[in-house]
Amino acid sequence: MRGEGLWQLGQSITRRLAQVDKKVVGRRYFASEAELKKTVLYDFHVANGGKMVPFAGWGMPIQYKDSIMESTVNCRQNGSIFDVSHMCGFSLKGKDCIPFLEKLVIADVAALAPGTGTLTVFTNEKGGAIDDSVITKVQNDHMYIVVNAGCRDKDLAHIEEHMKAFKAKGGDVSWHIHDERSLLALQGPLSASVLQHLTKDDLSKLYFGEFRITDINGAHCFITRTGYTGEDGFEISVPSENAVDLAKAILEKSEGKIRLTGLGARDSLRLEAGLCLYGNDMEQHITPVEAGLSWAIGKRRKAEGGFLGAEVILKQLAEGPKIRLVGFTSTGPPPRSHSEIQDEKGTNIGEITSGGFSPCLKKNIAMGYVKSGSHKAGTKAKILVRGKAYDGVVTKKPFVPTKYYKPS
């Protein structure tokens, strides 16, 4: 399932649940349930009103009892907890794990201080994005990495292929895939104060992008101050046997203000924050430069290269890309993935990759690729929805200001 369909599917389910018997909807939407993988929180989701849908081979909650609109707003006003255990976390270890990883990603991994991380991109030989990922340097001989659920198989095969070649030449690197762990994302302005009740560590000293291994609610956790909403928050890797208890404890300590939140609101939150969704806004034929992620290419890497596709990417940095990912606001119905973008004369200049109605801004927002020259903020355009052209304008991202917790 493409991410741009999450918001639409969530709205569709909401309408149908209001109109017909839930068992009928269940048979229609959950027909492949037996074939889907389940996180350890699956029964907990169902017990709390989670409406489960297939996503990247998993049965995941698209929403709960409240609407996607309500969940999105509550995350920004109070907080949300998301089950993101379908994503794949793994560790690379060994004295050569950093030079190995630098062959595969655009980040200056060597320059990261222990306990810090960054967004990066795994690239192919043509400079295209295999996946985007958050990587963290635990120690100089230990990297912790989280990749997207829908990319897990191809990512792990790609890494394993290069690891075999690297080790054959004497490189010291090994890996462990953390299938014994679950992953919870706690997001929103109340996230730190609520989580502080469950750990002795001083979270006021853990800043955006930083990582710590600590006990939370009595469980040995990996915690990163990051997220996918634009809000302050944490991603918590917890032993699977402790995941449900941790989710319950967070909800209890928040006194109902932090709510279980599904993939539908997660999609609208990340779009409001101007964050890419792999499979929509990034693909194997799109480079990090075209996707607006030149900032993620380390300064040393820009000078030296040394990663897959570096020749293509460094040329784009020098000469400029032919297409660029930009934000849009628009009139009429919300644009969707593959909506055509035209200039004011009716000439095709690009395509929408993600779009929807912003619950927080109460207007249409979208992202899409346009030809260079048509990418500057304020540029007027026409966006085709169901064959009809509506006014759009290139708009700076993020649409909603980010609230990451950084040193003052």
Side-chain angles (χ1 to χ4, degrees):
M1 183 190 300
R2 291 304 192 198
E4 60 87 20
L6 291 175
W7 190 89
Q8 291 165 286
L9 179 57
Q11 297 302 313
S12 174
I13 292 176
T14 300
R15 288 192 297 270
R16 289 174 183 277
L17 285 173
Q19 296 167 358
V20 301
D21 186 271
K22 291 186 180 182
K23 293 181 180 178
V24 176
V25 177
R27 287 196 294 272
R28 178 167 181 174
Y29 282 99
F30 309 160
S32 59
E33 183 178 332
E35 305 162 19
L36 298 173
K37 289 179 280 188
K38 297 179 180 180
T39 75
V40 296
L41 289 108
Y42 185 94
D43 292 340
F44 182 67
H45 296 314
V46 173
N48 281 276
K51 299 166 182 64
M52 313 303 287
V53 299
F55 182 79
W58 295 77
M60 300 297 294
I62 188 80
Q63 67 183 101
Y64 294 84
K65 295 174 184 176
D66 46 358
S67 71
I68 289 174
M69 301 273 284
E70 291 167 338
S71 292
T72 302
V73 172
N74 185 70
C75 180
R76 300 218 185 277
Q77 292 180 343
N78 296 300
S80 292
I81 184 167
F82 304 86
D83 178 11
V84 289
S85 305
H86 58 311
M87 299 180 73
C88 177
F90 64 93
S91 289
L92 290 176
K93 292 188 176 183
K95 66 180 180 65
D96 298 321
C97 69
I98 292 173
F100 168 69
L101 186 58
E102 286 199 339
K103 292 180 178 293
L104 306 181
V105 302
I106 59 176
D108 187 348
V109 185
L112 289 173
T116 67
T118 186
L119 177 74
T120 193
V121 179
F122 284 86
T123 50
N124 57 34
E125 288 80 359
K126 295 181 180 179
I130 293 175
D131 198 4
D132 59 334
S133 169
V134 174
I135 62 170
T136 301
K137 181 185 283 185
V138 183
Q139 296 292 343
N140 288 321
D141 61 353
H142 182 186
M143 297 295 304
Y144 173 63
I145 300 159
V146 178
V147 297
N148 287 305
C151 298
R152 173 183 170 130
D153 291 345
K154 71 169 182 177
D155 287 357
L156 297 186
H158 172 74
I159 294 165
E160 185 174 34
E161 177 188 355
H162 286 273
M163 188 183 296
K164 285 179 179 177
F166 187 82
K167 293 174 74 170
K169 295 179 181 178
D172 177 26
V173 62
S174 61
W175 64 344
H176 173 74
I177 301 166
H178 292 291
D179 285 338
E180 78 285 358
R181 289 182 164 270
S182 296
L183 191 63
L184 299 178
L186 174 60
Q187 300 284 290
L190 298 182
S191 58
S193 59
V194 170
L195 193 62
Q196 189 62 75
H197 289 296
L198 303 175
T199 182
K200 294 179 181 178
D201 260 305
D202 185 356
L203 298 178
S204 70
K205 296 178 181 177
L206 186 72
Y207 296 104
F208 178 70
E210 294 185 344
F211 171 93
R212 195 172 290 173
I213 298 177
T214 188
D215 284 351
I216 300 176
N217 200 44
H220 194 58
C221 296
F222 307 161
I223 179 173
T224 310
R225 197 149 195 168
T226 188
Y228 195 47
T229 64
E231 297 294 319
D232 181 27
F234 306 86
E235 290 189 354
I236 308 164
S237 172
V238 56
S240 289
E241 62 269 24
N242 304 117
V244 173
D245 285 344
L246 177 56
K248 288 179 178 178
I250 290 170
L251 295 172
E252 180 183 333
K253 292 296 182 182
S254 79
E255 298 178 339
K257 292 182 179 179
I258 290 176
R259 301 178 192 168
L260 287 167
T261 308
L263 295 177
R266 186 170 164 85
D267 192 49
S268 59
L269 287 158
R270 69 91 194 168
L271 181 57
E272 290 181 339
L275 300 174
C276 290
L277 174 66
Y278 193 89
N280 279 48
D281 314 301
M282 296 181 72
E283 295 268 13
Q284 300 215 58
H285 63 280
I286 295 292
T287 71
V289 181
E290 293 165 341
L293 296 175
S294 297
W295 61 267
I297 308 172
K299 185 177 180 180
R300 176 175 61 84
R301 310 309 306 276
K302 291 177 181 177
E304 300 175 1
F307 50 87
L308 293 175
E311 184 177 343
V312 173
I313 290 172
L314 298 185
K315 184 179 180 182
Q316 285 187 345
L317 286 172
E319 301 177 0
K322 293 181 179 179
I323 59 172
R324 298 172 187 262
L325 182 67
V326 297
F328 282 96
T329 52
S330 68
T331 61
R336 300 300 182 197
S337 180
H338 305 303
S339 293
E340 181 181 348
I341 305 168
Q342 299 178 346
D343 63 17
E344 291 189 285
K345 297 178 181 178
T347 303
N348 180 289
I349 57 170
E351 184 178 275
I352 295 296
T353 52
S354 288
F357 182 79
S358 165
C360 295
L361 300 176
K362 302 295 188 288
K363 61 182 179 181
N364 298 337
I365 58 173
M367 297 196 295
Y369 284 89
V370 297
K371 295 176 181 177
S372 287
S374 299
H375 66 282
K376 294 182 180 178
T379 301
K380 293 181 180 179
K382 297 290 184 182
I383 301 176
L384 270 61
V385 181
R386 302 186 196 100
K388 186 176 179 180
Y390 296 92
D391 291 336
V393 61
V394 175
T395 305
K396 287 185 178 180
K397 306 189 284 1
F399 302 100
V400 173
T402 56
K403 299 172 185 174
Y404 302 130
Y405 181 70
K406 298 180 179 181
S408 56

